[in-house]
Amino acid sequence: MTIRRMMLILGCSVVAVGASVAGTPAENKALVEGFVSVGNTRDYDRLGEYISDNFVRHCQATPGFVITSLEQFKAFMRADAQVFPDSKVEVHQMVAEGDRVAVWANYSGTQEGTLGLFPPSGKKMVLEFGAIFRVEDNKIAELWVTWDNMAALSQLGHFPPEGTD
C-alpha cells in the first residue's frame, strides 16, 4: 500500500468519525415541532429530548447574552416564562434542508414581569420572528433567532420612552 493511499484512507476515516448525523428533512421538522410544543407547555425538563447538551443560541436582538448549553437554555426559558407567563409560539412556515430547519413564527405573551430595564406593563404583544435550527445527532445543536426589538417594546408600551414627544 502506498503512502498516498494510506493517507487517503486515514483522511476518510477522520471525516467519518467527526461527521454529524442529521435526520431527514421531515424528521428534523418533527424535532423542531416537538421543541416548540415543549416550550409552549412549559415542560422544560423534556428539553433534553430535543436539544443537545452543548446547544448554542445566537441572537443579534440580545447582544451580550450568550447561551452555550442545554442548562443555560432551560434557565433562559424559565426566566422568559416568569416575564411572559402566557407566552406561546405559533409556527407559520417551516422549511427543512439538510441539517437546517428554518421557521417563521409568532411569539405572543403578556408582560407580567420585569424585562431587562422595563417594568411589567400588563400589555400583550404578538411578535413575528425568524429562526434557523441546526440539527446534529438528532438533536438541536444550534439556533439562530432574530426579531424586531422596537416592535416588541412599542407593543408593550415601553417605546417611545415616556417624556419623549
Side-chain angles (χ1 to χ4, degrees), residues 6-134:
M6 284 176 42
M7 290 178 71
L8 179 62
I9 291 169
L10 180 60
C12 289
S13 298
V14 169
V15 170
V17 168
S20 67
V21 178
T24 66
E27 290 169 335
N28 293 344
K29 286 169 76 172
L31 180 69
V32 171
E33 288 168 348
F35 160 75
V36 170
S37 177
V38 164
N40 282 341
T41 60
R42 309 279 191 277
D43 195 0
Y44 303 130
D45 291 334
R46 291 189 53 216
L47 282 172
E49 296 174 28
Y50 301 94
I51 295 178
S52 68
D53 289 338
N54 58 350
F55 169 81
V56 177
R57 174 184 174 268
H58 308 274
C59 183
Q60 182 184 25
T62 56
F65 186 76
V66 179
I67 294 176
T68 59
S69 73
L70 169 61
E71 292 307 314
Q72 288 176 346
F73 191 68
K74 284 181 182 180
F76 167 77
M77 294 289 284
R78 287 183 175 108
D80 184 73
Q82 294 294 313
V83 178
F84 298 97
D86 62 344
S87 66
K88 295 284 183 215
V89 170
E90 181 182 3
V91 175
H92 297 289
Q93 296 180 23
M94 185 180 295
V95 178
E97 183 177 322
D99 65 351
R100 308 294 163 118
V101 178
V103 169
W104 190 254
N106 283 347
Y107 174 98
S108 62
T110 307
Q111 186 196 4
E112 300 294 337
T114 301
L115 178 65
L117 302 174
F118 302 101
S121 68
K123 294 184 179 182
K124 183 172 184 165
M125 72 170 177
V126 178
L127 186 67
E128 292 183 333
F129 71 93
I132 297 176
F133 298 83
R134 184 177 66 82

Side-chain angles (χ1 to χ4, degrees), residues 109-159:
T110 307
Q111 186 196 4
E112 300 294 337
T114 301
L115 178 65
L117 302 174
F118 302 101
S121 68
K123 294 184 179 182
K124 183 172 184 165
M125 72 170 177
V126 178
L127 186 67
E128 292 183 333
F129 71 93
I132 297 176
F133 298 83
R134 184 177 66 82
V135 176
E136 180 179 301
D137 297 328
N138 299 311
K139 290 197 176 183
I140 298 167
E142 278 183 280
L143 165 63
W144 291 263
V145 62
T146 192
W147 63 85
D148 182 346
N149 277 334
M150 290 295 127
L153 294 175
S154 294
Q155 289 182 52
L156 296 173
H158 301 305
F159 189 83

